Amino acid sequence: MANEQNLIPFNKRTESEQRKYASQGGKKSGEVRRQKKAMKDTMKMLLNLNLPESEGKEKLKEMGIEENDLNVQTAILTNQIQRALKGDLDSAKFCRDTSGEYIGAEEEREETENYKVLIPAKDMPPAFINIYRSIRNREYSEYWLEGGRGSIKSTFANEMAIELLENNPKMCIIIIRRYTNTLRDSVYAQTEWTISQFSETYIGLQDDYEFKVSPMEVTKISTGQKIYYRGTDDAGKIKSIKPPKDMYIGVIIYEEFDQIQGMNTVRKINQSIIRGGDDFVQLYVYNTPASRQHFVNKEKKMVKKNRLIYLTDYRSAPKEWLGQAFIDEAEYIKETAPKIYENEYLGLETGEGGNVFENLEIREITDKEINAFDWIYKGIDWGWYPDPFAYNNMYYNSQQRILYIFDELNCNKKSNAETWQMLKEKGVNEEDLITADNAEPKSIGDYRDYGSNIRGAIKGPGSVEYSMKWLSSLNKIVIDKERCPNTTQEFEGYEFEKDKDGNIITGYPDKNNHHIDAVRYALERIWSRRGE
């Protein structure tokens, strides 16, 4: 019981009193250490006890665990693994740390101690653990979360945002959708649910948030941090946002990102938001569009070092989260409409049945392969702006009917003299035969004056249709994406056009096909032969 005598500070007591209390403290400390050692020894003994005969023991035997290893410790470890597979983040970390293979375990524990609020382990499926760690370590600034229905990417994005807000007192959040009138019943409601989920683990956290609908925003009361909601159909209201003093918008979420007007809109919005701080996390959440021509599918193929594309599908989510009805419907679609299943449930880019080139293989073409090519074909499609100057190198294996495209030049607003100089820097010389679009005789004449061995493509009636059918009929068109990013984008995205009813229109679209044309011109001597 506390009294005035007990409240006297230690350094104010007499020497005899200090020795007395120090002695008592030493005895107490020693007693505690002995108790801990006894408890530790008892725990070791209990962990090594043999398991009694039971259903659990039989299951461990079925898993292939030897009789000598069937002890309490093995049962605990097995239980932790099973819980980790069901999405328990704490169990997943326990398994990695215990295995001794997770080298950064101690560092992560130290880092985690600095985080006062974490995504509840019950809400973290194993499929999201890697990207969760990546965001925590800020390995990228852009995270594109793509997938199909039921992949719980929106749940993860919103919980990640709340964790970031809770642990970074200067950060605010903005959540963006296409249409303003959809915000309240979608992303705003999602925030309410997310904070309630955190409150099950962190008691009282929900009481620290104030929800308003006019204006639509959420405020963390203790710090003044804000969560804003905006539609891109009223971009002016995004630009006018002014976070509280000494704060900035550090987390940007684009929900239903595939419905946004396009990358120009996104760039303008980001330019007005990303300022005032050094630490930013951008989360782009969307169901993968089927069409390769969709701006999302075209943009994600562009190389950007600070961007990670992360795919999940409904199979990543615990079944009890989705319900058996969802699973049954997915399996039905899988059996009856596999293409729809691949896009809508697995989040794969499948096209819409109008892909011109179904024979593409996008992979690295090694230097060893290129050095073995005995004849290189070269083609040019002239361009200035917005159409580019497009050039390609390729090799055709006539026995296997495989085309390899392994080099390109793509540029705008370059004179003929400049493009010729750029080609020479790539190794093109005066002896190399180049076949170019004959629609620009002056450009062909300029190249000849520079010393180039260039010829105009003959073309002729029906040449486009015939050459396109020939390319589509090859066993394989192999394109190196790293060496030829623009060529890859054109071939992958080239689709037949459709009418308003979705019917394919006969003919090949004359757009976004500059490298395709350069390839056609280069190979004219092959596909125009009789029998090819």
Side-chain angles (χ1 to χ4, degrees), residues 440-496:
E440 291 197 21
K442 181 185 181 303
S443 295
I444 293 174
D446 287 343
Y447 263 52
R448 285 175 178 163
D449 290 341
Y450 305 144
S452 171
N453 180 21
I454 192 170
R455 62 181 287 271
I458 299 173
K459 295 186 180 181
S463 61
V464 173
E465 289 75 12
Y466 189 89
S467 59
M468 293 296 287
K469 288 179 182 178
W470 181 80
L471 285 170
S472 301
S473 72
L474 296 179
N475 290 334
K476 199 181 294 183
I477 299 177
V478 182
I479 309 176
D480 189 317
K481 183 177 181 178
E482 293 298 318
R483 300 177 191 262
C484 307
N486 296 286
T487 307
T488 302
Q489 185 175 343
E490 282 191 9
F491 272 85
E492 284 191 323
Y494 197 64
E495 298 178 347
F496 292 105

Side-chain angles (χ1 to χ4, degrees), residues 179-219:
Y179 298 107
T180 302
N181 61 7
T182 64
L183 293 172
R184 182 170 182 177
D185 294 332
S186 58
V187 292
Y188 183 81
Q190 175 80 43
T191 301
E192 290 182 297
W193 179 87
T194 301
I195 292 174
S196 71
Q197 290 297 105
F198 273 82
S199 297
E200 293 179 8
T201 302
Y202 302 96
I203 307 301
L205 183 143
Q206 190 167 10
D207 296 333
D208 195 25
Y209 283 87
E210 180 183 31
F211 293 82
K212 290 183 178 180
V213 294
S214 183
M216 191 179 300
E217 64 182 33
V218 176
T219 304

Side-chain angles (χ1 to χ4, degrees), residues 40-54:
K40 187 175 181 181
D41 292 341
T42 303
M43 180 62 72
K44 285 183 178 179
M45 179 188 70
L46 292 173
L47 288 173
N48 286 292
L49 287 177
N50 291 330
L51 279 178
E53 294 298 329
S54 64

Side-chain angles (χ1 to χ4, degrees), residues 361-367 369-370 404-408 477-488:
E361 180 177 311
I362 309 302
R363 66 166 175 83
E364 178 189 9
I365 300 176
T366 65
D367 290 339
E369 287 180 284
I370 294 172
Y404 299 83
I405 308 174
F406 59 89
D407 193 18
E408 73 172 36
I477 299 177
V478 182
I479 309 176
D480 189 317
K481 183 177 181 178
E482 293 298 318
R483 300 177 191 262
C484 307
N486 296 286
T487 307
T488 302

Side-chain angles (χ1 to χ4, degrees), residues 336-353:
T336 58
K339 274 287 185 183
I340 293 176
Y341 170 79
E342 287 179 2
N343 174 245
E344 294 187 2
Y345 286 92
L346 300 188
L348 302 179
E349 177 187 328
T350 57
E352 296 178 323

